[in-house]
Amino acid sequence: MEFDTEAVAQKIVRQILERTDAKADICLVLGSGWGGVSKFLENCVKIPYSALEEMPVCGVAGHAGNFLLGSIGGKRILIVQGRFHMYEGRSAAEIVLPIRIAYELGAKAVFLTNAAGGLNMAFSPGDLMVLKDHINLTCRNPLIGVAPREDRPVFVDMSEVYDGDFRKQIIEKCKELEIPVHEGVYLQVLGPSFETPAEIRAFQKLGADAVGMSTVLEAIYARYLAMKVAGISCITNMGAGLFSGKIRHEDVLQESNRREELFSKLLYSVLSE
């Protein structure tokens, strides 16, 4: 039986609204190392995924598995603490469930954050990359099997997935906070294994600046729902073959956590305005 993202999201939203009357203007999906922004949330209501019937549970270190509803700078915020990945055995339809839940709660914009491996030799671990475009190498699409509607076609224009105004604002705030920042193209793979040196060289030739295992399918689905999208990657390491040594998930988490406080200030500053 196929996973019905819309129907499941509506069931979960009904359960959320039984616990709180909070809605959302903006959704913030937190990748590894981005969790500190939650401390800035005013009037915070925390709802664990495990408390919601039919809500999948996160199975990856660094992903807490909670919805947080509150406000920042007068804007109603939904924070998604923990996303799902296809390498966990999830379908594309399950991956985008939090995006649909945010939409059903009223969100018109989504900020997608992640930890990524650098491909561009001008990058260094600890830098940020604001997504200006992406490459989908998962060979999956969350819109497969979705029935087209006159008011919501599945043939979604992807000419500018990542909102230009959001990109400009994030870059300006990074400069104010003295955070090294770049714009670039993000490439999503399935995972969970890290990439080989040959794959890294191939991705560079495709024009990618960073690689990771999330974000792209969420961005596609958000644009299907006519939500504005921003994407930010923390470059936690350089790709295989671009440095001496091995890549370990523990090291990725350590690097992303090292910059967590500064990145949280960035998100707070952007959301406040």
Side-chain angles (χ1 to χ4, degrees):
M1 181 175 169
E2 292 186 1
F3 187 87
D4 188 332
T5 307
E6 181 176 359
V8 174
Q10 290 173 349
K11 289 180 183 177
I12 291 169
V13 166
R14 285 196 291 271
Q15 295 174 66
I16 291 172
L17 294 178
E18 288 172 359
R19 292 165 168 81
T20 176
D21 59 359
K23 292 294 188 75
D25 300 311
I26 299 170
C27 173
L28 181 58
V29 180
L30 299 182
S32 301
W34 291 89
V37 70
S38 59
K39 69 183 180 184
F40 295 109
L41 206 59
E42 300 172 5
N43 304 313
C44 177
V45 176
K46 177 180 176 180
I47 304 176
Y49 293 175
S50 58
L52 299 168
E53 186 179 347
E54 295 194 43
M55 185 70 193
V57 177
C58 290
V60 182
H63 293 264
N66 301 304
F67 289 119
L68 303 179
L69 284 150
S71 63
I72 293 177
K75 297 167 186 72
R76 300 176 299 177
I77 307 294
L78 169 67
I79 292 181
V80 177
Q81 278 189 321
R83 52 159 52 102
F84 309 114
H85 304 80
M86 281 180 289
Y87 60 71
E88 299 174 73
R90 304 289 183 192
S91 66
E94 290 176 285
I95 299 301
V96 300
L97 178 60
I99 304 300
R100 184 67 194 221
I101 290 169
Y103 174 80
E104 297 290 341
L105 285 169
K108 299 294 190 294
V110 58
F111 281 66
L112 303 170
T113 67
N114 62 53
L119 306 178
N120 189 318
M121 296 306 294
F123 294 2
S124 298
D127 291 0
L128 289 186
M129 185 187 82
V130 178
L131 276 62
K132 65 178 180 181
D133 207 345
H134 70 232
I135 299 171
N136 182 4
L137 278 194
T138 69
C139 298
R140 308 288 193 277
N141 193 301
L143 303 181
I144 292 174
V146 175
R149 292 170 19 185
E150 188 172 340
D151 63 332
R152 191 176 295 144
V154 294
F155 301 103
V156 182
D157 175 46
M158 302 295 285
S159 301
E160 188 179 12
V161 179
Y162 303 95
D163 187 83
D165 290 336
F166 282 168
R167 297 205 312 269
K168 182 180 178 182
Q169 186 181 15
I170 293 166
I171 290 169
E172 287 176 352
K173 287 298 176 185
C174 283
K175 291 177 179 177
E176 287 180 19
L177 293 170
E178 298 183 344
I179 300 173
V181 63
H182 315 270
E183 279 191 291
V185 176
Y186 177 89
L187 184 147
Q188 183 180 348
V189 293
L190 281 173
S193 57
F194 290 111
E195 304 73 36
T196 68
E199 288 170 335
I200 293 297
R201 292 193 298 272
F203 297 164
Q204 288 175 319
K205 291 179 180 178
L206 286 174
D209 297 290
V211 59
M213 303 173 192
S214 68
T215 303
V216 168
L217 301 191
E218 296 160 335
I220 292 170
Y221 196 73
R223 290 303 302 135
Y224 161 69
L225 297 173
M227 301 171 78
K228 289 187 175 183
V229 180
I232 317 173
S233 295
C234 168
I235 305 302
T236 56
N237 59 278
M238 297 304 291
L242 302 183
F243 71 106
S244 60
K246 296 182 178 180
I247 303 172
R248 302 188 311 156
H249 185 59
E250 295 84 355
D251 295 335
V252 170
L253 290 177
Q254 183 177 356
E255 178 58 33
S256 57
N257 291 335
R258 185 179 69 85
R259 304 279 281 177
E260 182 174 10
E261 184 175 354
L262 188 56
F263 295 163
S264 299
K265 290 180 180 178
L266 167 67
L267 290 176
Y268 171 74
S269 181
V270 171
L271 292 171
S272 295
E273 295 187 9

